[in-house]
Amino acid sequence: MFVLDGKVALVTGAGQNVGAGIARTLAAQGATVIVNDFHLDRAERTVAAIVEAGGEARALRFDVSDFAAVGEAVADIASTEGPVDILVNNAGTGGPERLMPMEPFAATSPDDWATILAPNLYGVLNCSRAVLGGMIQRQHGRIITVSSSAGQEGLPIGIASYSAAKAGQIGFMRSIAAENAKYGITCNTISLGLVLEDASALQHYADAIPLGRVGKPEDPAYLAVYLSSDEADWITGQTIGVNGGSLMI
Ligand SMILES: NC(=O)c1ccc[n+]([C@@H]2O[C@H](COP(=O)([O-])OP(=O)(O)OC[C@H]3O[C@@H](n4cnc5c(N)ncnc54)[C@H](O)[C@@H]3O)[C@@H](O)[C@H]2O)c1
């Protein structure tokens, strides 16, 4: 089950943490994985781990918020590895690097919002737009977006524009799921709770998580494998929480 042999997967923002976990796990199931990141050195580290484990991968630097660059990258993949079968829209700003200044919305500016919306929302639109034409032609495809429980609940921690982007991802994924189901393309969203490569520093958060621990990158990665597989071909337009029970809806 869940064999991805012969599939080409593009995972954005896969240089570390969640995306790296998804890239490694898809590769372990047989997919050829294009490891995108804005930071090439990070993408190369993920590729090295995949290759060391016997998988196939290539690092590709581009900025998901740059529509033209995304189009060029997808064309490059098509001519090298073949057309993208699986797109995982993971690049974003929700991880440890977002443990950055968080400000009440009333103190933020349009420039602040643009910084958050560009990768988290426009990046998902750009990458999905770039792969959909080929998927429609081939009557098959998988698009998975990594959103956040912050897109589904209100949190008083100064992340309103991030919540807007993450809620936008969910609405966007439902719409493209509805539009493209007739082509055999499924589009689903993973709504994440707190996930870290090294959870030890934030272990105090575990007390507030019903299943008693912070997530590790493999937690969403196993779901990404399932949603990428042929076995999941009757699941589309869904938003599935991977959060240790911290948001139950
Ligand atoms: N880690 C969490 O607790 C958590 C919780 C909820 C949702 N998420 C979501 O999961 C996804 C991954 O989060 P993470 O914790 O692994 O983040 P991270 O910051 O650890 O890693 C994200 C990677 O994406 C890359 N990236 C950022 N902007 C990019 C761009 N414009 N183009 C290409 N690459 C870019 C970064 O260089 C980085 O390597 C994000 O969409 C985030 O919003 C994470």
Side-chain angles (χ1 to χ4, degrees):
M1 281 213 287
F2 313 147
V3 173
L4 302 178
D5 289 349
K7 304 284 189 199
V8 174
L10 168 60
V11 186
T12 66
Q16 64 183 24
N17 204 20
V18 176
I22 292 173
R24 290 192 303 266
T25 312
L26 293 177
Q29 295 307 113
T32 298
V33 180
I34 309 306
V35 178
N36 156 260
D37 203 283
F38 191 66
H39 297 285
L40 186 60
D41 56 326
R42 295 183 185 177
E44 286 172 343
R45 274 203 298 274
T46 303
V47 168
I50 290 171
V51 170
E52 197 183 336
E56 280 183 40
R58 173 163 72 104
L60 195 55
R61 186 206 169 279
F62 61 90
D63 179 346
V64 296
S65 60
D66 179 339
F67 180 74
V70 170
E72 283 165 24
V74 168
D76 170 334
I77 297 165
S79 65
T80 312
E81 285 84 9
V84 173
D85 300 297
I86 300 161
L87 166 65
V88 183
N89 287 310
N90 167 80
T93 55
E97 288 177 2
R98 194 185 52 75
L99 298 179
M100 59 181 186
M102 299 185 199
E103 289 193 282
F105 182 68
T108 60
S109 69
D111 284 347
D112 297 329
W113 313 337
T115 305
I116 299 295
L117 290 169
N120 288 288
L121 187 55
Y122 279 94
V124 172
L125 272 59
N126 290 339
C127 294
S128 303
R129 175 71 181 81
V131 300
L132 265 170
M135 289 180 175
I136 290 169
Q137 254 178 11
R138 296 189 307 285
Q139 300 277 295
H140 185 81
R142 296 280 184 264
I143 301 181
I144 298 163
T145 291
V146 182
S147 184
S148 168
S149 46
Q152 297 176 292
E153 65 177 331
L155 296 166
I157 56 173
I159 58 166
S161 58
Y162 176 73
S163 294
K166 292 303 188 187
Q169 291 179 339
I170 293 170
F172 170 71
M173 290 298 288
R174 287 181 179 141
S175 285
I176 61 167
E179 283 181 14
N180 295 289
K182 59 179 178 278
Y183 305 118
I185 300 166
T186 68
C187 307
N188 291 291
T189 302
I190 298 175
S191 175
L192 266 193
L194 184 61
V195 171
L196 294 172
E197 272 166 344
D198 175 12
S200 55
L202 291 176
Q203 205 46 44
H204 53 283
Y205 280 101
D207 295 342
I209 299 173
L211 285 172
R213 66 172 175 84
V214 169
K216 53 187 189 308
E218 287 74 16
D219 293 317
Y222 296 136
L223 178 58
V225 164
Y226 174 56
L227 292 173
S228 298
S229 72
D230 289 344
E231 285 82 356
D233 69 355
W234 208 51
I235 300 176
T236 197
Q238 303 305 307
T239 303
I240 303 172
V242 177
N243 56 34
S246 55
L247 180 67
M248 300 189 186
I249 53 173

